[in-house]
Amino acid sequence: MLHEFRRRFARWLAYRQTLASLRHVPDSTLADAGISREEIRERARYAGLRR
């Protein structure tokens, strides 16, 4: 049970860190990477799932 909690917490933390990082990136840089502002949550969610 503790192992599952740690795994879920690590995924949530990766999601939050990615979300915060992408929200601070300028629009022009996001556009260069092929990411729109609307995609930020989806990209952060994917990063959390990869953990």
Side-chain angles (χ1 to χ4, degrees), residues 4-43:
E4 178 65 20
F5 174 75
R6 286 180 180 166
R7 187 178 67 81
R8 285 180 183 233
F9 182 75
R11 288 173 57 182
W12 175 82
L13 190 59
Y15 167 77
R16 295 297 299 168
Q17 288 173 338
T18 303
L19 188 63
S21 295
L22 287 175
R23 283 185 172 165
H24 286 89
V25 174
D27 289 336
S28 59
T29 305
L30 286 174
D32 289 345
I35 302 171
S36 68
R37 285 270 166 212
E38 291 78 28
E39 290 178 78
I40 289 177
R41 286 191 135 179
E42 181 181 334
R43 299 285 180 128

